[in-house]
Amino acid sequence: MKFERQNKSQILLTAFCVLAVSGCGTEDPNPVNPGFSALNAKSNRVVAVAYPLAYISERLLEGTQVSVEFPGAESDNPGNWQPPEETVASMQEADLVITNGPGVTYAQWLIRVTLARNKTCISAADFPIADFITVNDHRIVHRHGPEGEHSHPYMVPYSWLDPAVLEKQARKIASNLVSVYPDNEETITRNLGELSEDLKKLTRKLEDLRRTDQLSVLSANPNLKFLTRAAGINDIHLLWLEGIPEQPQADIDAKSAEDSGPDQPELRWVETDGARAMLWPSTLGAAPEITGWQTINIDLLDKQPESGDYLSVMDDNIEQLVSLLN
Amino acid sequence: MRGPLLLAWKYVTYNRTKTFILVACIFLTVLLPVAVKILLDKFESQIVSRADTTPAVIGARGSDLDLALSALYFKRTDAGTVPFSETATIEKHGIAIPVYSKFTAREFPVVATTLDYYAFRGLQIAEGNMLTTLGDCAIGSRVAAELGIKPGDQLLSDRETVLDIGGMTPLKMNVTGVFAPTNSADDNGVFVDLKTAWVIEGLGHGHQDLENVEDELMVMSRDDGEIVASPAVVPYLEITENNIDSFHFHGEMDDFPVSAIIAVTPDEKSETLLEGNYGQGNATAQFVRPSIVVRELMDLVFKVKSVFDANAVLIGVSTALLLLLVILLSLKLRAREMQTMFKIGASRNTNAKLQLYEMGFIFLISGILVAIAVRVLMQYSGEFVQRMLIG
């Protein structure tokens, strides 16, 4: 009888404890919003709108299950093409679309397509104003629309030509990737460290080129300014953004006269064998013969290189400057 | 059927006018409050369920209700707009889904939003494809049915007013897909990208390349790389493969307007922190929980309904008294008929049964009619309420 009473008490006590514990377990003080979870379904795919951004993303995601795509590889002009509908639809399914962002807008087609806002990584979002490069002598003034007269200065988009700037972008991309794939934080952080080291090596090479007596070069267009600024070179640019003009020589002579006027400071041009140096962006195709000027090809990394990668191509670009300045 | 029951039935069917009037009296008196209750319950369940699935809305300071209705039902209200940059504040705490519903296309609201909206509301394309490009639209099932539009067709946005000849230029949108029906306000929407709505508004446009234009009337002046366009430059009315490259926006997108921003936070803590941001005196926008706003609206509706219920009770009582009067008068009129019944051997009890059965039949017919009406009402109340909400 005594045993039975004791047994009953034990059963009651156990039942009370089970109820109490189960009651505690079901009450989540901060429950997850189901709507938020639905918006965060993963496809383990990341899309980059420029080759260097794709390279950075691949390096950061090395050793993870996430794949990186660069749809612009299909195009001759990844910065200003119109992706087919199926490509846009595929981009809509990606977990993250990695872009440069305002001020260094490379993919001009982004404003013409529909992509998920919360899945867009603006890698230049944390840039200080000083990082951006504005070209004020190229602009179109409009006098229609509700805004009245206004103009658009040209903002140089090729931020990756300065490895130090690209390193900032890599940090931003890494932080976005960690938010999307928190399980891969350790791998991404480790990869970021290794990538930063590689980019710093390029930065140091460019910094070594800086001199106290600033030398000048002529550029076919302003798109090389991130590279020339990092190397401490005075970049006098032409405005051949759409292609080579019919009379390039006349254009160059006019520019030289303008920058060598009596009220202008004297320029120290980089010269090789009596010919002045003119930097030639790869996007303009083959350089024509221009009397008195020697053209030096610089790869803008618009497209995935046929051999090598971002680091090796940038190294080649810097080597060209090294041989030019030395 | 025989005996008093048969006699009562014969009486009811013979005196059709009297039966019709009595049945109509009972039918209408019972149906009216029942119908109001059904419609109100449906209204409440629909408005509350949509509000409950929309955790928070941020928009211009002013009426809570206008803001909630603008975000939930794309109502064109006087709630004002907030700049697109407000999404950045929300994104510190969760996901921001901007909605801009200022325009219409053939009187259906043009709902400009981001892709997140479709995932958030669970909208699935039933026919065609999701919008991908500037100028594309995907339409709700009711828009497709009522306008007879299918993917591949075009839909022109409406002018803000008929007399606005020199104002906003309508845009011919390309229909890429039709959403599966959801029995919600989404069935009534013409969904576009935010940028497409800003093009309709005139904040962005496409026109001829002014650097290479042949007609010099298009250019007011050219000076040192600067080109001033003349008013003769007319923006394109539709976005095609050939002209899409020329589309651009004027001004900062961060300053462009949106009607409301739906905030979806990961948890309650983030939502509370977000609410705190907008609780300060200098906040330029307001935070609204649609579920609370809608429940406040329903409280008001139920207060009005209680007055209506009291009215229905009074009408019921007066109808019952009227029926009683009709029966009493009828008994007087039928006194000779009752005498005849006595003479042929019918008891007082049989006469009473006869009266009772007659009324029973009238109530039965009324009841059947009310049941049929309620069934029909239940079937179509969802659609009716939806139309009422969407307007």
Side-chain angles (χ1 to χ4, degrees):
Chain A
M1 193 70 182
K2 193 180 173 188
F3 171 76
E4 274 179 11
R5 202 180 300 135
Q6 202 176 4
N7 206 14
K8 271 183 186 171
S9 318
Q10 277 179 352
I11 289 167
L12 276 173
L13 189 66
T14 313
F16 175 77
C17 288
V18 167
L19 279 172
V21 169
S22 62
C24 290
T26 50
E27 208 170 289
D28 186 349
N30 198 18
V32 174
N33 184 344
F36 187 84
S37 310
L39 286 170
N40 274 290
K42 299 282 182 295
S43 66
N44 276 354
R45 283 173 54 241
V46 163
V47 170
V49 301
Y51 163 68
L53 301 178
Y55 172 78
I56 292 291
S57 311
E58 269 173 15
R59 287 284 306 266
L60 291 171
L61 291 165
E62 232 167 50
T64 69
Q65 298 293 311
V66 184
S67 64
V68 179
E69 292 167 23
F70 169 44
E74 300 167 24
S75 159
D76 286 338
N77 185 3
N80 198 11
W81 68 312
Q82 187 56 42
E85 277 180 20
E86 54 274 25
T87 306
V88 179
S90 161
M91 289 171 78
Q92 289 177 346
E93 302 293 320
D95 296 335
L96 204 61
V97 177
I98 296 167
T99 68
N100 257 10
V104 275
T105 306
Y106 171 74
Q108 292 166 42
W109 48 270
L110 277 172
I111 64 156
R112 303 192 292 259
V113 299
T114 301
L115 294 173
R117 249 186 64 73
N118 73 313
K119 291 180 180 172
T120 305
C121 163
I122 298 170
S123 59
D126 296 341
F127 279 12
I129 291 290
D131 278 352
F132 296 100
I133 299 178
T134 308
V135 178
N136 283 310
D137 56 353
H138 177 78
R139 52 176 60 220
I140 292 178
V141 181
H142 293 262
R143 250 186 218 166
H144 58 91
E147 202 189 346
E149 182 172 309
H150 51 273
S151 63
H152 315 279
Y154 182 68
M155 304 289 287
V156 182
Y158 291 88
S159 54
W160 48 79
L161 292 179
D162 182 346
V165 172
L166 187 63
E167 194 187 334
K168 290 179 191 172
Q169 288 181 266
R171 291 189 187 284
K172 184 71 184 173
I173 294 169
S175 112
N176 275 244
L177 288 173
V178 167
S179 310
V180 179
Y181 307 112
D183 295 346
N184 291 316
E185 182 173 5
E186 200 180 319
T187 313
I188 293 168
T189 310
R190 189 180 59 244
N191 290 341
L192 176 65
E194 290 168 10
L195 177 68
S196 294
E197 276 310 306
D198 290 341
L199 294 173
K200 279 193 170 73
K201 277 181 202 160
L202 292 175
T203 304
R204 279 195 288 272
K205 280 183 92 169
L206 279 166
E207 281 169 354
D208 290 345
L209 289 173
R210 290 184 184 168
R211 299 159 54 127
T212 46
D213 53 336
Q214 202 180 35
L215 294 173
S216 300
V217 292
L218 186 69
S219 298
N221 66 36
N223 285 337
L224 299 166
K225 283 189 181 289
F226 273 97
L227 179 68
T228 48
R229 184 179 68 178
I233 299 170
N234 182 30
D235 184 351
I236 311 287
H237 63 263
L238 297 164
L239 291 169
W240 300 354
L241 286 157
E242 305 296 329
I244 309 162
E246 284 175 16
Q247 294 177 318
Q249 189 74 50
D251 226 15
I252 293 172
D253 292 345
K255 186 72 184 170
S256 300
E258 181 190 317
D259 286 308
S260 314
D263 51 342
Q264 297 288 336
E266 195 180 338
L267 298 176
R268 293 195 63 237
W269 293 94
V270 178
E271 290 187 20
T272 320
D273 302 329
R276 287 178 178 176
M278 180 178 184
L279 300 182
W280 192 263
S282 55
T283 44
L284 285 182
E289 282 288 322
I290 303 165
T291 315
W293 295 88
Q294 184 202 7
T295 53
I296 296 104
N297 286 311
I298 300 290
D299 194 333
L300 290 183
L301 284 146
D302 267 277
K303 296 180 202 163
Q304 186 156 6
E306 285 173 12
S307 62
D309 55 18
Y310 168 83
L311 291 178
S312 62
V313 172
M314 270 306 289
D315 200 51
D316 289 348
N317 283 340
I318 296 168
E319 281 303 323
Q320 298 245 52
L321 295 183
V322 171
S323 57
L324 188 70
L325 297 176
N326 292 336
Chain B
M1 205 160 30
R2 61 196 184 85
L5 203 61
L6 180 65
L7 277 175
W9 175 248
K10 290 286 177 192
Y11 180 85
V12 165
T13 51
Y14 183 77
N15 294 291
R16 283 180 197 145
T17 312
K18 182 188 165 192
T19 306
F20 173 77
I21 291 168
L22 288 175
V23 166
C25 265
I26 297 165
F27 173 76
L28 290 175
T29 311
V30 175
L31 184 68
L32 209 62
V34 172
V36 168
K37 177 157 176 48
I38 290 170
L39 290 175
L40 209 58
D41 285 353
K42 202 70 178 175
F43 177 80
E44 188 189 14
S45 76
Q46 285 199 5
I47 199 168
V48 166
S49 71
R50 194 160 170 88
D52 281 348
T53 53
T54 311
V57 171
I58 284 97
R61 289 179 82 90
S63 160
D64 291 7
L65 187 62
D66 275 359
L67 178 57
L69 290 180
S70 153
L72 299 178
Y73 294 99
F74 322 125
K75 293 275 183 195
R76 292 175 73 183
T77 61
D78 296 327
T81 59
V82 285
F84 181 66
S85 57
E86 203 61 50
T87 52
T89 311
I90 298 160
E91 278 166 357
K92 288 175 193 158
H93 304 278
I95 294 169
I97 306 175
V99 176
Y100 191 37
S101 51
K102 179 179 176 184
F103 306 106
T104 56
R106 293 181 60 184
E107 297 185 4
F108 286 96
V110 172
V111 184
T113 183
T114 58
L115 282 181
D116 299 323
Y117 183 86
Y118 313 118
F120 174 65
R121 292 272 186 232
L123 296 181
Q124 300 283 338
I125 290 283
E127 192 187 348
N129 299 306
M130 181 58 91
L131 52 147
T132 57
T133 314
L134 193 69
D136 283 354
C137 69
I139 54 177
S141 56
R142 191 170 295 135
V143 181
E146 290 198 8
L147 300 183
I149 290 176
K150 58 186 185 309
D153 291 346
Q154 289 188 309
L155 183 60
L156 195 69
S157 67
D158 300 332
R159 284 186 184 276
E160 279 191 276
T161 63
V162 186
L163 301 173
D164 186 21
I165 298 166
M168 185 196 81
T169 318
L171 182 74
K172 203 182 269 183
M173 296 173 285
N174 305 310
V175 180
T176 60
V178 178
F179 286 113
T182 56
N183 290 322
S184 72
D186 297 325
D187 292 345
N188 224 36
V190 174
F191 291 91
V192 298
D193 192 285
L194 271 174
K195 288 170 284 198
T196 302
W198 292 333
V199 167
I200 297 173
E201 183 137 43
L203 298 168
H205 56 210
H207 50 69
Q208 286 147 298
D209 178 7
L210 297 175
E211 285 187 82
N212 301 311
V213 72
E214 286 176 7
D215 184 357
E216 282 304 314
L217 287 174
M218 299 281 180
V219 176
M220 280 175 75
S221 69
R222 287 177 196 272
D223 181 28
D224 207 17
E226 291 192 352
I227 301 170
V228 180
S230 82
V233 176
V234 179
Y236 295 125
L237 299 180
E238 66 180 302
I239 301 169
T240 64
E241 276 182 23
N242 298 328
N243 68 21
I244 191 166
D245 287 352
S246 73
F247 273 81
H248 56 275
F249 291 87
H250 292 199
E252 293 297 322
M253 279 199 187
D254 274 352
D255 300 333
F256 290 175
V258 294
S259 316
I261 306 166
I262 298 170
V264 189
T265 50
D267 45 43
E268 281 181 20
K269 185 182 169 190
S270 310
E271 194 173 297
T272 309
L273 287 171
L274 179 65
E275 188 176 11
N277 267 3
Y278 293 99
Q280 291 160 25
N282 57 354
T284 51
Q286 64 170 337
F287 177 101
V288 162
R289 286 183 206 274
S291 55
I292 294 174
V293 174
V294 162
R295 281 190 172 82
E296 282 170 2
L297 172 73
M298 289 313 298
D299 285 348
L300 190 70
V301 170
F302 281 117
K303 272 180 195 162
V304 175
K305 187 181 172 283
S306 63
V307 175
F308 188 86
D309 286 345
N311 184 44
V313 169
L314 290 176
I315 289 174
V317 170
S318 63
T319 307
L321 290 173
L322 210 66
L323 281 175
L324 191 65
L325 183 69
V326 169
I327 292 165
L328 291 174
L329 286 173
S330 172
L331 283 175
K332 281 211 161 188
L333 284 171
R334 292 170 67 191
R336 284 183 62 199
E337 188 187 323
M338 294 297 126
Q339 288 287 334
T340 310
M341 293 289 286
F342 276 125
K343 281 175 184 167
I344 61 172
S347 64
R348 185 176 286 272
N349 192 24
T350 307
N351 271 340
K353 272 185 184 172
L354 202 62
Q355 293 293 327
L356 209 66
Y357 289 154
E358 280 172 17
M359 283 318 295
F361 276 125
I362 284 164
F363 274 104
L364 186 69
I365 295 167
S366 308
I368 290 169
L369 289 176
V370 167
I372 293 169
V374 165
R375 174 115 181 86
V376 171
L377 204 64
M378 296 263 267
Q379 193 168 352
Y380 295 102
S381 62
E383 198 178 334
F384 178 75
V385 166
Q386 201 52 246
R387 277 175 189 275
M388 210 163 65
L389 278 168
I390 295 161

